Structures are given as structure tokens and as C-alpha cells.
Amino acid sequence: MLKTKTRTILLTILTIIILSIFIFFFIFILKNPGLSEGNISFIFVINVITIILILLLLLILVIKSVIRLIYQRRQKILGSKLKLKLVAVMLILVIIPTLPTYFVVIPLINNVFDVWKQKRIQDTLNSSIGISRSYLQTRESYLKFRIETFIREKRLNRKVRELKNSEKTDLVRSLNSINI
């Protein structure tokens, strides 16, 4: 297992790298206002993930300090009261900027996702409306054709009924001669 100093240095380097990536993407968005909505959403999601990683890293450090403090208090190690005060100050320094940031960032995140979802939902609705219109037009033309065929058949049946018996037999003969 790594020594405490080495772990602290590695966590510090990791935090600096994550912050650098976050700042790079943030500057990239500000410098390129002509980015498409999909690219901005992608970069925004990456930035949110980066912020979450940073907060998780801070949370790990705080939990580690609290666990170490509890262990030292149970062992009654000298200086544990001082460490308690240091951990309390560290918690306050972490929580005070985090809470206002949370209350400022959450509405922004919700707004971005609402806009993003509205665009996706609007595109889906427009596509489904187009498909529905196409289907209804096809059905309408089919029903018009069937109605016209039905009307022609009814008129033909009415005309056949109106024919005299001799005309019917002549019609049947002519139809039979055509079929042969």
C-alpha cells in the first residue's frame, strides 16, 4: 500500500488533472458559440461528470479524515482534539462553498436538460405526426377508392334490375361470349 504522502500527492495530481480538463471544456464552450446543440450537450455532460468526480474525491478525503479521527479518538492519541478541530474546519470549508454552488448549478442543469429534452421530444412528435398524416392519407385514398367502387356496383345493380327480362338475357349472352 502507498504511503500517506504518496497517496496525497497522487490525489492532488489527479484533482489538478480533472480541474484542468473541466476548465479546458468550459473555455472551449465559451470560445466557440457556434457549436451545435448536440456538441454543447455532450461537453456539458462531461463537465457535470467532472464536477461529480471532483466532489466525490473531496468526499473521499473528508470521510478518510473522519474515520482516521474516530480511530484516534478511540485510541486516545495525543492531539486528537486538535485534529477534530481541523477536520471540522475542513468540513465547513468544503460545505460552505458547495451548498450555494449546488443551489445555483442545479436549476441550470435542470434548465439545460429541459431544453435538450424539449428539442428531442419535439423532433419525435413531429416525426410521429408526419407518419400519422402519411398513414391517414393512404387510408383516405383507399377508402375513397372503395366507396367509388361500391357506388359504381350499386348503380350497375340498379340498372340491371331496371332492365327487362329480354335485355337481361341478351346481356348475359354477350357477357358469356366475351368470357369464352
Side-chain angles (χ1 to χ4, degrees), residues 37 110 112-122:
E37 193 173 310
N110 287 336
V112 168
F113 280 117
D114 286 344
V115 168
W116 185 60
K117 283 190 265 181
Q118 285 176 353
K119 173 109 175 83
R120 297 267 176 146
I121 290 171
Q122 189 65 35

Side-chain angles (χ1 to χ4, degrees), residues 92-110:
I92 290 171
L93 288 175
V94 168
I95 291 175
I96 288 176
T98 303
L99 288 178
T101 305
Y102 174 79
F103 290 115
V104 169
V105 169
I106 288 299
L108 293 174
I109 291 173
N110 287 336

Side-chain angles (χ1 to χ4, degrees), residues 121-142:
I121 290 171
Q122 189 65 35
D123 291 344
T124 305
L125 284 175
N126 288 339
S127 298
S128 65
I129 288 171
I131 291 169
S132 299
R133 283 186 182 150
S134 172
Y135 175 75
L136 288 175
Q137 288 172 351
T138 305
R139 291 299 292 174
E140 182 183 9
S141 62
Y142 173 74

Side-chain angles (χ1 to χ4, degrees), residues 155-169:
R155 284 182 185 161
L156 184 63
N157 286 340
R158 192 177 320 133
K159 286 181 182 179
V160 168
R161 273 189 251 132
E162 292 172 356
L163 290 174
K164 296 179 184 174
N165 282 337
S166 61
E167 292 172 340
K168 283 183 186 179
T169 55

Side-chain angles (χ1 to χ4, degrees), residues 9-92:
I9 291 172
L10 286 175
L11 286 174
T12 305
I13 290 172
L14 181 66
T15 305
I16 290 171
I17 289 171
I18 291 173
L19 278 172
S20 300
I21 291 170
F22 174 72
I23 291 169
F24 169 76
F25 281 124
F26 186 72
I27 291 172
F28 185 72
I29 289 174
L30 290 177
K31 295 269 181 179
N32 296 319
L35 287 175
S36 70
E37 193 173 310
N39 291 338
I40 290 175
S41 296
F42 175 72
I43 292 172
F44 182 76
V45 168
I46 288 176
N47 284 339
V48 168
I49 291 171
T50 306
I51 291 170
I52 290 171
L53 287 175
I54 291 169
L55 291 176
L56 285 175
L57 187 63
L58 288 173
L59 184 67
I60 289 170
L61 291 173
V62 168
I63 290 173
K64 182 180 122 182
S65 296
V66 169
I67 290 173
R68 195 179 287 158
L69 177 68
I70 292 170
Y71 176 74
Q72 288 175 356
R73 293 280 287 177
R74 286 189 181 173
Q75 298 296 322
K76 296 184 181 180
I77 294 178
L78 189 62
S80 63
K81 287 184 181 182
L82 177 63
K83 284 187 180 182
L84 173 66
K85 291 177 184 176
L86 289 173
V87 169
V89 168
M90 187 174 77
L91 282 173
I92 290 171

